[in-house]
Amino acid sequence: WYQRRVHGLQIAVSSLNFWVLLCILRNFPVQAKALICMPSHAALKNMADIIPRPTQPTFMPPPAFPEHLRIDRMLQPDANGSVPHADVAFDVGPEDGGPGFGRFLAHRVVIGAQSPMLFEEMRKLPLTTLPLENIDAAILRVDPEISKEVWRSALQFMYTGVVNCPFVNDVHCVVELLLAAVRYKLPRPLLDFAQASLCPLLPDAPPKVALRVFSICVGSMSAGMDLSAAREASTHMLLGTAHQLLEGFQAQDACPILERVVSSVEESHFERQRQQWTEQQQQQPVTQRPPPTQTPGPQSGRQMHMGDPLQQTAQWGTGVPQMPIPLSSFHPPPYQQQQQQQQQQQMAMHAAYAGMPQQCGGGYPMQQCT
């Protein structure tokens, strides 16, 4: 019983059969978590050895603001100790105050021009009289997980155009900068700097840091942002440490995390295949390119199911050439042999989990999902 399940899981991992892995995680969470968290058979750690290692992103510092546009001078206090024309106050640090708390004065026109998220939040806030600062300003509470050192660096960039982060070797502060850039849609250079600084720090960081970075990258607030570098780096770390990190988790809490991790690997895998195919097509002379073929509709050809990796070829979205990509160009061997291999793997998993309710992730009986 035990050996059959271990063998079936290892087959799915070694062949990168994401459909089978997701099916197991969704339908057999207790058994899946128990098998994945076994140090002697760390299946996801083997996957980390199979897939390509994440590439180190590069960061090109943007040019600083020109000398005649020294808006940072607007932050210098006047003779009365007030910041001229300041109309927003950022409260940063712990909500209960303390030594980590700080207040930064700024100008809504400067901040709102560089952060649409902060612009919307500041627009809804009323002006409040601040007797200590002697101004009327909107008070905006920054996410408590972002420290005042990190927020100071973000404000300095928005007033100077220069990335100045003295905490570049502190992985926790860099994660806070990534959170700030994603949470408040800060300018792109701050996001790129956070990812480029974070990727080399993650391998030596605790596994919980990788989980925090991964949750930022796949959360709802990251929609529309390019976080591929941080997402792939954190995913690779989680694959190698999942058997340790999730050991104390309940199965119903661990398996949704593992689903997102496996789905992230699947997305990167097929995106890499798409890029390789595009490069091959660009290098091939136009006269030698195969003619366009009709892509099978949802009601024809192979039945598509949720979580089926072959379905990704029809769901890449914008930026993909209109000519459909032959399935045989993705994985050697050709499509027919690949389909036979997946059917054999699914039959092996079916035998390994005999005696349990056999349903795939889409709710179909297992024999209909081959």
Side-chain angles (χ1 to χ4, degrees):
W1 177 89
Y2 165 76
Q3 291 296 336
R4 290 201 306 268
R5 282 152 179 76
V6 171
H7 182 64
L9 189 62
Q10 294 289 358
I11 289 176
V13 168
S14 60
S15 61
L16 295 182
N17 195 323
F18 304 107
W19 186 89
V20 171
L21 289 173
L22 293 173
C23 180
I24 295 174
L25 292 170
R26 291 167 183 163
N27 293 279
F28 311 103
V30 176
Q31 295 83 350
K33 189 257 181 181
L35 292 175
I36 288 174
C37 291
M38 296 193 66
S40 57
H41 298 283
L44 295 187
K45 187 176 181 180
N46 295 335
M47 179 181 287
D49 298 332
I50 295 174
I51 63 176
R53 299 186 67 86
T55 57
Q56 171 62 35
T58 57
F59 174 71
M60 296 295 296
F65 292 167
E67 185 65 25
H68 67 273
L69 192 64
R70 294 294 304 274
I71 58 176
D72 57 313
R73 295 174 181 172
M74 299 173 60
L75 295 176
Q76 297 179 358
D78 57 15
N80 298 324
S82 301
V83 176
H85 311 295
D87 54 1
V88 61
F90 293 104
D91 286 351
V92 191
E95 295 182 348
D96 56 355
F101 178 81
R103 170 171 287 180
F104 296 97
L105 302 181
H107 306 83
R108 287 190 289 181
V109 64
V110 176
I111 305 302
Q114 302 183 71
S115 169
M117 184 66 67
L118 289 175
F119 174 80
E120 289 298 325
E121 293 193 18
M122 292 185 298
R123 190 172 60 89
K124 301 174 184 177
L125 296 173
L127 294 180
T128 304
T129 300
L130 305 178
L132 204 62
E133 292 82 3
N134 195 25
I135 60 172
D136 291 335
I139 301 177
L140 195 151
R141 188 68 178 86
V142 178
D143 191 321
E145 295 188 23
I146 302 173
S147 64
K148 62 181 181 181
E149 291 79 12
V150 172
W151 194 250
R152 180 187 291 112
S153 295
L155 289 179
Q156 286 178 352
F157 176 82
M158 288 189 278
Y159 276 86
T160 64
V162 177
V163 179
N164 180 23
C165 297
F167 49 79
V168 66
N169 294 320
D170 187 335
V171 65
H172 299 285
C173 288
V174 177
V175 172
E176 292 178 13
L177 181 61
L178 178 70
L179 174 62
V182 174
R183 169 71 174 81
Y184 296 108
K185 303 293 186 293
L186 299 182
R188 178 64 182 268
L190 286 175
L191 179 66
D192 293 343
F193 174 81
Q195 294 189 86
S197 302
L198 186 61
C199 289
L201 298 176
L202 276 181
D204 298 325
K208 289 185 178 180
V209 176
L211 180 60
R212 178 59 177 145
V213 174
F214 182 78
S215 65
I216 295 174
C217 294
V218 300
S220 58
M221 61 184 178
S222 65
M225 307 186 74
D226 183 9
L227 292 164
S228 57
R231 178 174 56 83
E232 292 182 6
S234 59
T235 298
H236 198 273
M237 279 293 300
L238 290 176
L239 289 176
T241 60
H243 60 286
Q244 300 172 345
L245 176 65
L246 303 178
E247 185 177 4
F249 283 57
Q250 296 294 327
Q252 60 270 23
D253 299 325
C255 283
I257 298 175
L258 294 172
E259 283 186 44
R260 300 297 296 270
V261 172
V262 173
S263 297
S264 177
V265 177
E266 179 184 26
E267 180 182 345
S268 300
H269 176 74
F270 281 96
E271 175 62 20
R272 196 176 299 111
Q273 297 290 345
R274 185 193 69 83
Q275 292 177 357
Q276 292 176 359
W277 180 87
T278 303
E279 293 174 358
Q280 293 174 0
Q281 293 300 307
Q282 292 175 348
Q283 296 173 0
Q284 187 179 8
V286 178
T287 56
Q288 298 181 8
R289 296 182 185 178
T293 57
Q294 185 66 29
T295 304
Q299 302 300 327
S300 62
R302 183 182 184 276
Q303 180 68 28
M304 299 295 185
H305 295 295
M306 182 181 300
D308 191 334
L310 295 178
Q311 190 180 16
Q312 306 298 324
T313 59
Q315 296 181 349
W316 278 325
T318 59
V320 181
Q322 293 300 316
M323 184 176 65
I325 303 175
L327 292 176
S328 60
S329 66
F330 286 96
H331 285 291
Y335 166 68
Q336 292 81 2
Q337 298 182 18
Q338 180 187 14
Q339 186 178 19
Q340 292 177 1
Q341 286 184 347
Q342 290 196 359
Q343 289 176 349
Q344 293 173 358
Q345 294 162 8
Q346 293 164 14
M347 292 175 62
M349 296 307 305
H350 180 79
Y353 288 85
M356 298 182 183
Q358 299 295 307
Q359 288 189 345
C360 68
Y364 297 92
M366 184 67 75
Q367 61 269 23
Q368 295 183 10
C369 295
T370 55

